[in-house]
Amino acid sequence: MTDGLKAYKIQISGLVQGVGFRPFIYRIALKNSILGWVENNNEGVTILAEGSDSQIKHFIADIHSLAPVAATIASLKKSVEVFEGFENFSIKKSSSFSQTITEVSPDIAVCDDCLNDLLTQPHRMGYPFINCTNCGPRFTIIQALPYDRYQTTMQPFDMCPVCENEYTNILDRRFHAQPIACNHCGPVYRIENLELQFETNEIHIIIANEIQNGKIIALKGLGGYHFICDANNEQAVSELRNRKQRERKPFAVMCKNLATVENRFEISEQEKKSLLSWRRPVVLLRNKKQFAPSVSMQLNTTGILLPSMAIHYQIFDFLTTDAIVFTSGNMTDEPVCIDDSIALNELSKVADIVITYNREIHNRADDSVVMVVNEKERIIRRSKGYVPAPVLTTLYDNEGIFAAGAELTNTFALGKNTQVIFSQHIGDLKNAETMEFYEESVDRFSKLFRFENQFVACDLHPDYLSSYYARNLRLPTLEIQHHHAHIASCMAEHGLNEKVIAFAFDGTGYGDDGTIWGGEVFICDYAGYERRFHFDPVPLPGGDQVTKYPWRTALSYLYKYFGAEILESGLPFLDARDKTEIKTITQMIDANLNCPLSSGAGRLFDAVAALSDICTTSSYHAEAPMKLESCIETDCKGKYLYHIEDKTIVFYKMFYQIIKDIRRSAPASHISAKFHNTMVALIIELSKKLKKETGINKVVLTGGTFQNKYLLGLSEILLKKEGFEVFAHEKVPSNDGGIALGQMAIAAAYRQSTRISDNGNH
Ligand code: ZN
Ligand code: ZN
Ligand code: FE
């Protein structure tokens, strides 16, 4: 009987490979009595489905509502086929027949079913590399598409007969789980520099004991090595700081479970969701009960994550401490280590014990970092768990566009159709090691996604290594102003394609007048921008060097506004410094010697932090602004004055008032609050002013300065109260890690407009 039976081809694109999608389709086909087949191919997943209209309807509804947790369906297209009368439903072998891509799954935290199998499956008792189609490594082990075991770093491991049975059994949870493994056939951990006899499935007991004894361990993870130690043991944590030569930058911490997190941190519903997500990012949380003081170093937030690999759970089972420091296994400023011999030679200078395993990490990936503001997750570092899933943009054709990114916290992006594929977090492109990682990743991404470079977008900065790299490709290249790219990134993320009012606040970016910009108020779209207002530029004595010495920037502001008088005014931050040191700086300013002008918002935050004696020298990027934010007294509603001269936002009055507050011994927490409130007030006032002039009601907030939770949170709330539509970053970092998306959008729009005008000329 084939009466009323029909045949359809269903084509699904999106993140549907390596996430258990085909077996899922198989199971719901059985459930809905659908006959036909499913296959993976370069375009995603194709299904041939035969059944009645109502069966097909329910089948498609199930595809949407029951899909595996890590799957994302970007599109589902249905077309009528000739009815053939299949007698069963089958999974066809992967075919590879076209040049369009499908998505590669990011790595997925170990699932609850697998954690349970650790205790019950005879061949996987305590097996730390357990995984299934719903969880486990993906991006970090993949070498080529389609995603199949032989194209991953699992290739050298031959499946044992038991695993093979599961792998080929369509109803098994490990059907086609490419990294499938067990105690008999899979990767094993080993201790590199310690003479110890142990069973491979006991390694977590050794690690737990050593942590409890105050030792530092280098442990190989999915995307790279980590250094771990007891977060409640001050001696261990400060020893890690000494050995890693990491003076004050806070450490991330892995907590045993959600109960531990709730006990120690203030945590909202969205923060809970982010922590528990299969992506397992580090989430910035507000401290309630501190770990050892050397963990967060006086900041009021800590980066927290939950266990993501089976071994993490196993270690916590044997620990009495509830949290471990969990920081990248690298030497400062170098990419996280993925090479076992380098780990043994280099990381062993920091760690007492190096624990490795015998599967290669193909793609390096740091832990991702997010924060939650106004109950929305905002990504700060987009890497493991997120990459390489594309950020979708549908505005322009991005095909063949390479966006080189900026310099700090670099990521680059490749354009495929309307998709933008972001690289993992590469790091600061300031040394050979990081540049090598950049070049290697460009090659690997290009190969993996069959990318053919036709058009290049890079930062306008003459000296960024990413810009050098881009220019050397010798392809048509568009150089894009840094803050224009920041704004375009936020616009593209939200699908905006019109003129907006935009605040791009960050530390530094090359301006078209050759000075350093970073306190920028633009009216702009992808095609261009008008610089409507900007922070008052000050000389930066020593150029880039000032980021390490916020006191110099403070001095520069005060010297500009109040002259030499300020040197005798008895300000604590100046009195604490050597007189000759101060003299050198003012002489540099007077002689205009290595004193580039900067309107960077980051520098203004630096100056206020130094002036109020919160942070006068900085040991890591943005330390002063972070400390300034950290000490805000949120009940303090006061603010300072500023004024506008033509296009310049002048802070003379604000500094005058801050000095007055310091003389009155006002607490730094009040000065900080009033300063932040001033920044918010300025955003509101200028938005209103520009709206009055232009009629534009959409406001974009972007740039690294908007990683400041207080500034972003309050600006959003108050702008909305004034009736503005507000757009800030969520899926792409507001820092320079998000620049590549803006470069891509501007380049794609530019290419399209020149194509149109080319056509017009014919
Ligand atoms: Zn699993
Ligand atoms: Zn096996
Ligand atoms: Fe920037």
Side-chain angles (χ1 to χ4, degrees):
M1 282 290 286
T2 59
D3 283 357
L5 294 184
K6 290 186 180 145
Y8 290 97
K9 185 175 261 179
I10 300 168
Q11 179 63 46
I12 303 174
S13 71
L15 212 173
V16 289
Q17 287 194 15
V19 291
F21 205 78
R22 284 175 305 162
F24 153 71
I25 293 294
Y26 181 85
R27 284 192 299 272
I28 60 168
L30 291 194
K31 177 185 158 205
N32 292 293
S33 309
I34 297 291
L35 304 176
W37 49 259
V38 57
E39 75 165 7
N40 263 0
N41 52 52
N42 279 330
E43 289 164 342
V45 164
T46 305
I47 303 163
L48 196 287
E50 292 185 349
S52 70
D53 272 338
S54 114
Q55 284 165 340
I56 302 267
K57 197 178 124 204
H58 285 113
F59 176 64
I60 290 175
D62 281 351
I63 293 177
H64 286 292
S65 63
L66 304 174
V69 55
T72 341
I73 297 170
S75 76
L76 184 150
K77 288 182 198 134
K78 192 175 97 175
S79 57
V80 179
E81 284 285 309
V82 179
F83 183 83
E84 284 186 51
F86 285 96
E87 288 177 349
N88 58 13
F89 193 89
S90 63
I91 298 189
K92 295 218 285 195
K93 230 180 149 46
S94 294
S95 70
S96 182
F97 53 73
S98 94
Q99 286 302 300
T100 49
I101 47 146
T102 185
E103 297 183 18
V104 176
S105 170
D107 300 86
I108 307 167
V110 65
C111 74
D112 289 343
D113 291 334
C114 281
L115 289 174
N116 192 44
D117 288 346
L118 279 183
L119 311 169
T120 52
Q121 282 195 336
H123 57 308
R124 291 200 183 85
M125 282 299 195
Y127 181 60
F129 293 93
I130 193 162
N131 65 81
C132 72
T133 48
N134 299 321
C135 77
R138 298 288 188 276
F139 170 64
T140 52
I141 60 167
I142 193 168
Q143 294 161 319
L145 279 174
Y147 175 62
D148 244 325
R149 187 177 177 101
Y150 76 97
Q151 309 216 75
T152 71
T153 56
M154 279 302 290
Q155 188 271 334
F157 299 91
D158 289 330
M159 276 180 232
C160 72
V162 188
C163 285
E164 177 113 46
N165 263 336
E166 296 167 325
Y167 184 84
T168 48
N169 176 1
I170 215 161
L171 291 175
D172 194 280
R173 207 175 79 253
R174 293 188 175 82
F175 175 74
H176 283 203
Q178 306 305 342
I180 189 173
C182 77
N183 269 320
H184 306 299
C185 66
V188 288
Y189 281 103
R190 65 171 187 267
I191 300 181
E192 283 289 10
N193 52 351
L194 196 71
E195 293 299 322
L196 257 183
Q197 290 294 317
F198 65 96
E199 294 286 319
T200 50
N201 57 5
E202 282 174 359
I203 195 143
H204 56 281
I205 303 174
I206 295 170
I207 298 173
N209 278 335
E210 297 298 329
I211 291 173
Q212 216 64 62
N213 289 336
K215 292 283 174 16
I216 296 162
I217 293 159
L219 175 65
K220 186 174 178 180
L222 284 189
Y225 280 81
H226 290 99
F227 290 126
I228 61 178
C229 71
D230 184 354
N232 291 302
N233 182 334
E234 174 59 23
Q235 214 185 336
V237 182
S238 57
E239 184 61 28
L240 175 57
R241 279 200 183 282
N242 284 339
R243 292 193 202 162
K244 212 185 167 198
Q245 291 171 16
R246 177 154 149 158
E247 211 181 323
R248 295 195 294 263
K249 192 177 179 185
F251 285 130
V253 171
M254 180 180 279
C255 285
K256 181 182 172 117
N257 52 35
L258 194 61
T260 302
V261 182
E262 285 176 321
N263 173 34
R264 286 182 176 270
F265 297 90
E266 285 168 25
I267 170 168
S268 72
E269 279 311 307
Q270 179 54 51
E271 285 168 337
K272 226 178 266 183
K273 246 191 236 169
S274 297
L275 272 175
L276 290 168
S277 135
W278 57 267
R279 302 175 189 275
R280 284 298 198 278
V282 172
V283 185
L284 296 182
L285 297 177
R286 211 180 161 86
N287 302 341
K288 222 159 60 180
K289 251 189 260 167
Q290 292 260 27
F291 299 113
S294 287
V295 171
S296 16
M297 300 301 282
Q298 296 158 16
L299 287 185
N300 66 348
T301 55
T302 311
I304 297 296
L305 76 171
L306 288 173
S308 61
M309 294 172 76
I311 190 136
H312 304 149
Y313 288 91
Q314 294 176 310
I315 292 169
F316 275 115
D317 279 345
F318 282 84
L319 276 178
T320 47
T321 187
D322 62 355
I324 54 178
V325 165
F326 199 78
T327 188
S328 296
N330 59 350
M331 304 315 281
T332 306
D333 297 335
E334 286 179 15
V336 60
C337 175
I338 57 171
D339 183 290
D340 298 334
S341 61
I342 294 176
L344 187 57
N345 292 327
E346 297 297 320
L347 301 190
S348 59
K349 292 172 189 162
V350 173
D352 300 300
I353 306 168
V354 178
I355 309 247
T356 182
Y357 61 79
N358 57 343
R359 180 178 66 207
E360 224 183 288
I361 298 172
H362 186 69
N363 297 304
R364 176 188 278 123
D366 287 270
D367 295 308
S368 294
V369 182
V370 306
M371 65 176 185
V372 174
V373 178
N374 292 337
E375 278 308 79
K376 280 185 193 153
E377 183 181 290
R378 326 277 180 144
I379 200 142
I380 290 175
R381 182 201 278 169
R382 193 172 181 278
S383 213
K384 189 162 74 70
Y386 292 81
V387 170
V391 176
L392 292 181
T393 98
T394 50
L395 289 175
Y396 293 104
D397 175 18
N398 300 309
E399 188 69 37
I401 299 177
F402 169 69
E407 179 174 74
L408 297 177
T409 62
N410 176 280
T411 62
F412 61 83
L414 309 182
K416 283 297 266 184
N417 304 317
T418 57
Q419 294 184 333
V420 180
I421 298 162
F422 258 88
S423 73
Q424 70 273 56
H425 164 79
I426 304 287
D428 298 346
L429 294 183
K430 287 188 161 187
N431 55 43
E433 291 82 3
T434 316
M435 201 53 211
E436 202 180 298
F437 174 32
Y438 179 85
E439 290 177 13
E440 176 193 88
S441 296
V442 174
D443 289 345
R444 288 187 174 177
F445 268 72
S446 301
K447 183 177 155 238
L448 186 60
F449 292 104
R450 298 175 185 84
F451 173 77
E452 274 177 49
N453 200 344
Q454 303 157 3
F455 191 61
V456 179
C458 69
D459 198 282
L460 186 64
H461 200 293
D463 298 326
Y464 280 180
L465 291 181
S466 59
S467 300
Y468 274 114
Y469 177 86
R471 292 182 200 113
N472 277 335
L473 293 170
R474 312 226 170 271
L475 287 165
T477 302
L478 193 63
E479 298 187 1
I480 296 166
Q481 201 281 323
H482 188 87
H483 303 96
H484 189 204
H486 267 305
I487 297 162
S489 170
C490 191
M491 290 173 63
E493 189 187 327
H494 293 285
L496 297 177
N497 193 11
E498 59 192 274
K499 280 204 159 65
V500 297
I501 299 167
F503 295 83
F505 288 178
D506 67 358
T508 174
Y510 192 78
D512 356 273
D513 58 2
T515 68
I516 304 166
W517 291 5
E520 307 305 313
V521 190
F522 287 2
I523 298 284
C524 82
D525 56 15
Y526 299 120
Y529 59 91
E530 280 173 73
R531 193 186 190 206
R532 296 304 292 268
F533 299 103
H534 56 82
F535 285 9
D536 198 3
V538 287
L540 300 182
D544 257 2
Q545 283 288 314
V546 294
T547 55
K548 290 185 189 134
Y549 308 105
W551 72 268
R552 286 193 194 178
T553 313
L555 177 56
S556 181
Y557 266 106
L558 300 183
Y559 195 58
K560 173 185 169 109
Y561 288 142
F562 310 107
E565 233 176 89
I566 202 70
L567 305 176
E568 309 306 325
S569 62
L571 285 167
F573 91 101
L574 284 178
D575 284 356
R577 304 221 77 87
D578 193 62
K579 285 270 178 280
T580 53
E581 202 181 14
I582 293 173
K583 198 158 179 211
T584 311
I585 297 303
T586 53
Q587 280 171 343
M588 280 173 82
I589 297 173
D590 289 338
N592 190 17
L593 194 77
N594 193 14
C595 278
L597 286 176
S598 164
S599 62
R603 297 297 79 77
L604 181 68
F605 281 69
D606 276 357
V608 174
L611 172 57
S612 48
D613 227 2
I614 290 165
C615 181
T616 52
T617 60
S618 173
S619 78
Y620 59 91
H621 183 70
E623 177 176 0
M626 283 164 77
K627 287 199 164 144
L628 189 63
E629 180 192 358
S630 188
C631 79
I632 294 173
E633 165 56 64
T634 47
D635 288 336
C636 172
K637 304 292 179 213
K639 58 182 185 241
Y640 297 119
L641 297 169
Y642 60 90
H643 70 278
I644 312 270
E645 284 173 16
D646 188 24
K647 290 181 174 180
T648 308
I649 307 162
V650 182
F651 297 108
Y652 168 84
K653 292 177 185 171
M654 181 177 82
F655 279 102
Y656 181 82
Q657 289 179 303
I658 293 177
I659 291 169
K660 238 169 113 184
D661 272 350
I662 291 170
R663 294 241 164 84
R664 276 205 307 247
S665 305
S669 61
H670 284 239
I671 295 173
S672 172
K674 285 160 86 174
F675 166 69
H676 279 87
N677 294 340
T678 312
M679 293 297 109
V680 176
L682 177 156
I683 290 169
I684 309 290
E685 191 200 331
L686 295 182
S687 298
K688 283 162 120 175
K689 206 172 178 132
L690 289 172
K691 180 180 176 173
K692 213 167 161 191
E693 274 177 47
T694 62
I696 298 169
N697 194 45
K698 294 194 162 100
V699 178
V700 165
L701 305 175
T702 183
T705 301
F706 285 102
Q707 283 170 100
N708 183 312
K709 279 190 181 192
Y710 184 88
L711 179 71
L712 175 61
L714 194 58
S715 301
E716 275 188 347
I717 291 170
L718 295 183
L719 281 168
K720 281 182 187 161
K721 233 185 201 165
E722 295 287 344
F724 289 100
E725 284 180 75
V726 190
F727 302 89
H729 292 273
E730 291 164 37
K731 296 187 179 73
V732 167
S734 71
N735 60 45
D736 288 4
I739 283 268
L741 176 61
Q743 293 175 338
M744 178 74 65
I746 290 169
Y750 171 83
R751 191 173 61 172
Q752 182 154 319
S753 70
T754 53
R755 272 179 189 162
I756 290 166
S757 61
D758 278 357
N759 289 341
N761 289 338
H762 287 306

